[in-house]
Amino acid sequence: MSSINFKPITTLREPTELAAHGLVPVADLPNLEKVAARYAVAVTPDVAALIDPDDPQDPIARQYIPSAEELAAQPNEKPDPIGDDAHSPVSGIVHRYPDRVLFKLVHVCAVYCRFCFRREMVGPGKATALSEGAYENALAYIRAHPEIWEVILTGGDPLMLSPRRLAEIMADLAGIDHVKIIGIHTRVPVAEPSRISREMVAALKVRGATTWVALHANHARELTRKARAACAAMVDAGIPMVSQSVLLRGVNDNAAALEALMRGFVECRIKPYYLHHGDLAPGTSHLRTTLEHGQEIMRALRGRVSGLCQPDYVIDIPGGHGKAPAGPSYISPVNSFSQESEQPPERRYRMVDYCGDVHLYPPEP
Ligand code: SF4
């Protein structure tokens, strides 16, 4: 690969542009054109500047630069891997859990992640933003369901909207009495931090509901000085933040990489929230780990950082059945007792501490 590494001034969307910036070998272009014809590509100047073109294993490149491996979809991979469609009562809404809905306003993102579970839905040429009529229908659905306490604006990336439009939407949602929480799931503070302008921060704050921003980042190097400043602008404005990450092979699938990422979040006043197991999205098997490896890493992480830095390792059950905690278990029973015995013995448990040592509870039988 060429070692040309000059920062582009616009977002790179074509494989030829990636090659011109030394981010992919020219010889790979025929395959990468096929990938790009199927899945959107976008690498912002901020992200391109983070990539080391001389490192074939670069953890930033693996997240954003297309690869010929994406052409090898596996039989168990599905276009809608977490079953959004099965829970979509009206266009733009996913109502999977009683008290919350996803509200998918736009289908574009600042960058396109190679592991995205909505990769068949996002990007130019896929769907477009909701029409005004579909938007009003979605609002009507939320109004008609008083059990909806939380509305999560998600992807595409809601911070691709203009501050003016976002402010209107926030006001519409906060105007619904039972909507108390508005979540914003975004990659923009990392991918294009300059979008987090004073106007954008102002748009996120709304009377009548509390805004939570969930930042998606997967490697500590994504938390650049500019990304940290963008997050600080939101937190300083009183907007609480949580993190979302995906466990990705070759990006963060070791305890040291996750430790650095989680410490980085906490330093930015962002509470680590979810670490997602990779979804069965088409052409992403090269980026997935096994569940066992994920559990091993989580066990190691518990030995390295405090509870403040611990995300919940979760997996979305294919078919739309929601999330299941996927972390390792630390407690298991060592004896069983019969319901028929008159005085059942007190149950004892085997417990594993952060060093991996086993203890019994209670210590004495
Ligand atoms: S920013 Fe989110 S929705 Fe957009 S491509 Fe990445 S993971 Fe998918």
Side-chain angles (χ1 to χ4, degrees), residues 278-348:
D279 293 307
L280 295 171
T284 62
S285 61
H286 59 293
L287 293 168
R288 276 195 300 278
T289 62
T290 62
L291 268 167
E292 289 76 12
H293 187 45
Q295 292 178 337
E296 199 181 297
I297 295 170
M298 287 304 294
R299 211 175 271 119
L301 193 64
R302 188 154 288 280
R304 299 170 75 118
V305 291
S306 76
L308 190 58
C309 299
Q310 299 287 339
D312 249 359
Y313 179 40
V314 293
I315 183 165
D316 270 283
I317 304 169
H321 304 288
K323 290 181 182 58
S329 170
Y330 297 90
I331 300 180
S332 56
V334 291
N335 58 355
S336 58
F337 58 88
S338 154
Q339 298 287 353
E340 288 145 25
S341 70
E342 280 187 11
Q343 283 195 317
E346 188 172 5
R347 208 159 201 186
R348 297 187 82 200

Side-chain angles (χ1 to χ4, degrees), residues 109 111-113 115-118 122 155-157 187 216:
C109 304
V111 283
Y112 292 102
C113 312
F115 51 86
C116 177
F117 66 100
R118 296 206 179 102
V122 295
D157 198 311
R187 209 129 160 63
H216 175 178

Side-chain angles (χ1 to χ4, degrees), residues 35 45 49 52 67 79 116 162 164-165 167 173 194 199 206 208 214 231 318 324 342 364:
V35 174
D52 175 359
S67 146
C116 177
S162 69
R164 184 192 56 75
R165 181 64 185 136
L173 291 169
S194 59
E199 294 74 25
V206 65
C231 295
E342 280 187 11
E364 305 302 330

Side-chain angles (χ1 to χ4, degrees), residues 191-213:
E192 201 177 351
S194 59
R195 286 187 78 86
I196 311 299
S197 59
R198 195 170 299 171
E199 294 74 25
M200 187 68 92
V201 174
L204 290 168
K205 295 198 73 172
V206 65
R207 266 184 213 286
T210 301
T211 305
W212 283 76
V213 170

